[in-house]
Tab-separated table of all heavy atoms in Angstrom:
chain	number	residue	atom	x	y	z
A	74	THR	N	26.112	29.096	-6.985
A	74	THR	CA	27.113	28.270	-7.660
A	74	THR	C	27.344	27.045	-6.759
A	74	THR	O	27.833	27.211	-5.620
A	74	THR	CB	28.372	28.982	-7.882
A	74	THR	OG1	28.071	30.171	-8.683
A	74	THR	CG2	29.322	28.073	-8.655
A	75	LEU	N	27.104	25.815	-7.297
A	75	LEU	CA	27.358	24.563	-6.533
A	75	LEU	C	28.594	23.958	-7.140
A	75	LEU	O	28.783	23.870	-8.387
A	75	LEU	CB	26.150	23.665	-6.703
A	75	LEU	CG	26.246	22.350	-6.010
A	75	LEU	CD1	26.447	22.509	-4.537
A	75	LEU	CD2	24.915	21.532	-6.277
A	76	SER	N	29.468	23.523	-6.242
A	76	SER	CA	30.744	22.898	-6.693
A	76	SER	C	31.090	21.772	-5.686
A	76	SER	O	30.503	21.713	-4.632
A	76	SER	CB	31.820	23.929	-6.808
A	76	SER	OG	32.071	24.489	-5.534
A	77	ARG	N	32.068	20.981	-6.079
A	77	ARG	CA	32.525	19.954	-5.177
A	77	ARG	C	34.006	19.765	-5.279
A	77	ARG	O	34.552	19.993	-6.380
A	77	ARG	CB	31.721	18.692	-5.440
A	77	ARG	CG	31.912	17.989	-6.739
A	77	ARG	CD	30.945	16.872	-7.050
A	77	ARG	NE	31.032	15.867	-5.947
A	77	ARG	CZ	30.024	15.026	-5.623
A	77	ARG	NH1	28.879	15.089	-6.288
A	77	ARG	NH2	30.188	14.101	-4.646
A	78	ASP	N	34.595	19.362	-4.243
A	78	ASP	CA	35.997	19.014	-4.220
A	78	ASP	C	36.098	17.577	-3.747
A	78	ASP	O	36.047	17.301	-2.510
A	78	ASP	CB	36.759	19.934	-3.240
A	78	ASP	CG	38.312	19.727	-3.340
A	78	ASP	OD1	38.718	18.620	-3.727
A	78	ASP	OD2	39.067	20.644	-2.987
A	79	ASN	N	36.076	16.665	-4.673
A	79	ASN	CA	36.060	15.240	-4.290
A	79	ASN	C	37.313	14.830	-3.533
A	79	ASN	O	37.307	13.883	-2.731
A	79	ASN	CB	35.888	14.352	-5.510
A	79	ASN	CG	34.406	14.371	-5.997
A	79	ASN	OD1	33.528	14.735	-5.220
A	79	ASN	ND2	34.201	14.061	-7.274
A	80	ALA	N	38.388	15.526	-3.757
A	80	ALA	CA	39.601	15.138	-3.015
A	80	ALA	C	39.481	15.485	-1.527
A	80	ALA	O	40.046	14.847	-0.695
A	80	ALA	CB	40.807	15.985	-3.622
A	81	LYS	N	38.619	16.472	-1.235
A	81	LYS	CA	38.426	16.844	0.148
A	81	LYS	C	37.071	16.369	0.644
A	81	LYS	O	36.665	16.682	1.809
A	81	LYS	CB	38.433	18.359	0.297
A	81	LYS	CG	39.819	19.031	-0.034
A	81	LYS	CD	39.773	20.522	0.152
A	81	LYS	CE	41.207	21.114	-0.052
A	81	LYS	NZ	41.210	22.548	0.177
A	82	ASN	N	36.429	15.500	-0.203
A	82	ASN	CA	35.109	14.948	0.200
A	82	ASN	C	34.156	15.997	0.672
A	82	ASN	O	33.423	15.792	1.666
A	82	ASN	CB	35.399	13.933	1.343
A	82	ASN	CG	34.506	12.637	1.231
A	82	ASN	OD1	34.274	12.215	0.105
A	82	ASN	ND2	34.126	12.060	2.352
A	83	SER	N	34.126	17.029	-0.089
A	83	SER	CA	33.282	18.225	0.304
A	83	SER	C	32.514	18.784	-0.908
A	83	SER	O	32.868	18.641	-2.052
A	83	SER	CB	34.187	19.303	0.910
A	83	SER	OG	34.819	18.887	2.067
A	84	LEU	N	31.464	19.546	-0.511
A	84	LEU	CA	30.514	20.107	-1.471
A	84	LEU	C	30.393	21.638	-0.961
A	84	LEU	O	30.346	21.858	0.203
A	84	LEU	CB	29.181	19.392	-1.312
A	84	LEU	CG	28.084	19.607	-2.289
A	84	LEU	CD1	28.439	18.946	-3.629
A	84	LEU	CD2	26.857	18.798	-1.753
A	85	PHE	N	30.189	22.481	-2.004
A	85	PHE	CA	30.129	23.945	-1.566
A	85	PHE	C	28.941	24.564	-2.382
A	85	PHE	O	28.790	24.318	-3.533
A	85	PHE	CB	31.397	24.638	-1.910
A	85	PHE	CG	32.609	23.999	-1.265
A	85	PHE	CD1	33.408	23.202	-2.053
A	85	PHE	CD2	32.872	24.170	0.016
A	85	PHE	CE1	34.530	22.581	-1.503
A	85	PHE	CE2	34.020	23.579	0.617
A	85	PHE	CZ	34.812	22.780	-0.120
A	86	LEU	N	28.147	25.386	-1.674
A	86	LEU	CA	27.101	26.131	-2.316
A	86	LEU	C	27.348	27.609	-2.027
A	86	LEU	O	27.191	28.050	-0.880
A	86	LEU	CB	25.714	25.700	-1.795
A	86	LEU	CG	24.534	26.489	-2.387
A	86	LEU	CD1	24.427	26.217	-3.912
A	86	LEU	CD2	23.230	26.118	-1.702
A	87	GLN	N	27.678	28.336	-3.067
A	87	GLN	CA	27.905	29.774	-2.950
A	87	GLN	C	26.594	30.443	-3.319
A	87	GLN	O	26.013	30.177	-4.358
A	87	GLN	CB	28.974	30.240	-3.876
A	87	GLN	CG	29.193	31.756	-3.972
A	87	GLN	CD	29.902	32.354	-2.736
A	87	GLN	OE1	30.742	31.693	-2.120
A	87	GLN	NE2	29.511	33.582	-2.405
A	88	MET	N	26.111	31.338	-2.413
A	88	MET	CA	24.761	32.016	-2.680
A	88	MET	C	25.041	33.501	-2.561
A	88	MET	O	25.575	34.004	-1.615
A	88	MET	CB	23.745	31.519	-1.697
A	88	MET	CG	23.374	30.076	-1.761
A	88	MET	SD	21.944	29.656	-0.835
A	88	MET	CE	20.706	30.549	-1.815
A	89	ASP	N	24.633	34.197	-3.616
A	89	ASP	CA	24.842	35.680	-3.695
A	89	ASP	C	23.406	36.383	-3.709
A	89	ASP	O	22.404	35.699	-3.932
A	89	ASP	CB	25.642	36.017	-4.931
A	89	ASP	CG	27.008	35.374	-4.924
A	89	ASP	OD1	27.685	35.295	-3.879
A	89	ASP	OD2	27.402	34.823	-6.024
A	90	SER	N	23.524	37.669	-3.593
A	90	SER	CA	22.306	38.548	-3.691
A	90	SER	C	21.208	37.941	-2.872
A	90	SER	O	20.057	37.804	-3.285
A	90	SER	CB	21.873	38.585	-5.192
A	90	SER	OG	22.902	39.122	-6.020
A	91	LEU	N	21.511	37.648	-1.625
A	91	LEU	CA	20.516	37.021	-0.771
A	91	LEU	C	19.440	38.049	-0.344
A	91	LEU	O	19.717	39.234	-0.179
A	91	LEU	CB	21.244	36.497	0.498
A	91	LEU	CG	22.143	35.236	0.231
A	91	LEU	CD1	23.006	34.984	1.365
A	91	LEU	CD2	21.244	34.021	-0.037
A	92	SER	N	18.246	37.517	-0.184
A	92	SER	CA	17.086	38.293	0.310
A	92	SER	C	16.411	37.507	1.456
A	92	SER	O	16.775	36.408	1.716
A	92	SER	CB	16.158	38.556	-0.849
A	92	SER	OG	15.462	37.333	-1.220
A	93	ALA	N	15.396	38.203	1.995
A	93	ALA	CA	14.730	37.635	3.165
A	93	ALA	C	14.082	36.297	2.746
A	93	ALA	O	13.948	35.352	3.623
A	93	ALA	CB	13.653	38.597	3.702
A	94	GLU	N	13.724	36.116	1.476
A	94	GLU	CA	13.079	34.887	1.020
A	94	GLU	C	14.049	33.695	1.019
A	94	GLU	O	13.634	32.607	0.903
A	94	GLU	CB	12.530	35.104	-0.440
A	94	GLU	CG	11.280	35.922	-0.486
A	94	GLU	CD	11.559	37.406	-0.185
A	94	GLU	OE1	12.592	37.945	-0.529
A	94	GLU	OE2	10.670	38.014	0.502
A	95	ASP	N	15.312	33.955	1.215
A	95	ASP	CA	16.299	32.892	1.307
A	95	ASP	C	16.569	32.395	2.703
A	95	ASP	O	17.345	31.430	2.930
A	95	ASP	CB	17.687	33.339	0.712
A	95	ASP	CG	17.573	33.727	-0.753
A	95	ASP	OD1	17.072	32.835	-1.522
A	95	ASP	OD2	18.022	34.810	-1.177
A	96	THR	N	15.895	33.060	3.680
A	96	THR	CA	15.978	32.583	5.059
A	96	THR	C	15.407	31.185	5.148
A	96	THR	O	14.206	30.946	4.849
A	96	THR	CB	15.226	33.582	6.021
A	96	THR	OG1	15.897	34.820	5.995
A	96	THR	CG2	15.217	33.040	7.459
A	97	ALA	N	16.193	30.240	5.656
A	97	ALA	CA	15.816	28.831	5.676
A	97	ALA	C	16.892	28.000	6.318
A	97	ALA	O	18.014	28.443	6.497
A	97	ALA	CB	15.590	28.333	4.290
A	98	ILE	N	16.506	26.765	6.652
A	98	ILE	CA	17.464	25.709	6.995
A	98	ILE	C	17.894	25.163	5.666
A	98	ILE	O	17.052	24.763	4.815
A	98	ILE	CB	16.941	24.695	7.887
A	98	ILE	CG1	16.526	25.309	9.270
A	98	ILE	CG2	17.915	23.531	8.119
A	98	ILE	CD1	15.805	24.306	10.199
A	99	TYR	N	19.202	25.030	5.436
A	99	TYR	CA	19.723	24.494	4.205
A	99	TYR	C	20.266	23.073	4.498
A	99	TYR	O	21.151	22.862	5.306
A	99	TYR	CB	20.801	25.346	3.577
A	99	TYR	CG	20.211	26.558	2.956
A	99	TYR	CD1	19.675	27.606	3.721
A	99	TYR	CD2	20.108	26.736	1.535
A	99	TYR	CE1	19.051	28.709	3.114
A	99	TYR	CE2	19.495	27.805	0.929
A	99	TYR	CZ	19.029	28.791	1.751
A	99	TYR	OH	18.462	29.933	1.157
A	100	TYR	N	19.654	22.082	3.825
A	100	TYR	CA	20.071	20.689	4.047
A	100	TYR	C	20.858	20.156	2.814
A	100	TYR	O	20.535	20.414	1.695
A	100	TYR	CB	18.906	19.763	4.131
A	100	TYR	CG	17.953	20.006	5.329
A	100	TYR	CD1	16.729	20.622	5.270
A	100	TYR	CD2	18.330	19.473	6.602
A	100	TYR	CE1	15.890	20.810	6.337
A	100	TYR	CE2	17.559	19.676	7.718
A	100	TYR	CZ	16.339	20.306	7.558
A	100	TYR	OH	15.536	20.478	8.635
A	101	CYS	N	21.930	19.491	3.165
A	101	CYS	CA	22.723	18.722	2.186
A	101	CYS	C	22.084	17.313	2.168
A	101	CYS	O	21.940	16.718	3.244
A	101	CYS	CB	24.154	18.769	2.518
A	101	CYS	SG	25.300	17.881	1.451
A	102	ALA	N	21.835	16.816	0.991
A	102	ALA	CA	21.194	15.463	0.959
A	102	ALA	C	21.819	14.620	-0.171
A	102	ALA	O	21.972	15.114	-1.320
A	102	ALA	CB	19.681	15.671	0.731
A	103	ARG	N	21.999	13.387	0.151
A	103	ARG	CA	22.625	12.389	-0.795
A	103	ARG	C	21.480	11.808	-1.671
A	103	ARG	O	20.439	11.426	-1.186
A	103	ARG	CB	23.388	11.320	-0.083
A	103	ARG	CG	24.175	10.453	-1.043
A	103	ARG	CD	24.869	9.313	-0.232
A	103	ARG	NE	23.921	8.171	-0.045
A	103	ARG	CZ	24.421	7.001	0.472
A	103	ARG	NH1	25.684	6.869	0.705
A	103	ARG	NH2	23.567	6.000	0.589
A	104	ALA	N	21.704	11.791	-3.003
A	104	ALA	CA	20.823	11.051	-3.882
A	104	ALA	C	21.188	9.602	-3.791
A	104	ALA	O	22.367	9.201	-3.696
A	104	ALA	CB	20.970	11.546	-5.278
A	105	SER	N	20.173	8.750	-3.778
A	105	SER	CA	20.355	7.326	-3.548
A	105	SER	C	20.944	6.579	-4.708
A	105	SER	O	21.307	5.415	-4.606
A	105	SER	CB	19.026	6.662	-3.167
A	105	SER	OG	17.972	6.988	-4.057
A	106	ALA	N	20.980	7.277	-5.873
A	106	ALA	CA	21.546	6.644	-7.036
A	106	ALA	C	22.016	7.773	-7.972
A	106	ALA	O	21.758	8.907	-7.802
A	106	ALA	CB	20.633	5.726	-7.786
A	107	GLU	N	22.812	7.395	-8.978
A	107	GLU	CA	23.381	8.337	-9.931
A	107	GLU	C	22.598	8.389	-11.220
A	107	GLU	O	22.973	7.761	-12.240
A	107	GLU	CB	24.836	8.030	-10.180
A	107	GLU	CG	25.542	9.029	-11.100
A	107	GLU	CD	26.059	10.317	-10.375
A	107	GLU	OE1	25.995	10.291	-9.131
A	107	GLU	OE2	26.374	11.284	-10.989
A	108	TRP	N	21.464	9.018	-11.204
A	108	TRP	CA	20.705	9.262	-12.441
A	108	TRP	C	19.803	10.508	-12.318
A	108	TRP	O	19.688	11.092	-11.216
A	108	TRP	CB	19.879	8.055	-12.883
A	108	TRP	CG	19.287	7.162	-11.898
A	108	TRP	CD1	19.787	6.086	-11.308
A	108	TRP	CD2	17.910	7.272	-11.338
A	108	TRP	NE1	18.925	5.491	-10.461
A	108	TRP	CE2	17.778	6.199	-10.359
A	108	TRP	CE3	16.864	8.145	-11.471
A	108	TRP	CZ2	16.572	5.991	-9.645
A	108	TRP	CZ3	15.714	7.962	-10.776
A	108	TRP	CH2	15.580	6.904	-9.860
A	109	LEU	N	19.261	10.977	-13.397
A	109	LEU	CA	18.404	12.071	-13.424
A	109	LEU	C	17.043	11.733	-13.920
A	109	LEU	O	16.927	10.832	-14.812
A	109	LEU	CB	19.003	13.115	-14.356
A	109	LEU	CG	20.225	13.947	-13.804
A	109	LEU	CD1	20.910	14.761	-14.841
A	109	LEU	CD2	19.804	14.802	-12.642
Side-chain angles (χ1 to χ4, degrees):
Chain A
T74 304
L75 182 55
S76 61
R77 64 192 303 159
D78 185 338
N79 283 341
K81 295 183 178 179
N82 221 31
S83 296
L84 193 67
F85 306 101
L86 179 65
Q87 174 74 33
M88 298 190 68
D89 303 317
S90 304
L91 289 164
S92 69
E94 286 70 38
D95 296 311
T96 295
I98 297 173
Y99 285 73
Y100 294 104
C101 180
R103 189 182 84 168
S105 53
E107 183 80 13
W108 34 270
L109 285 169

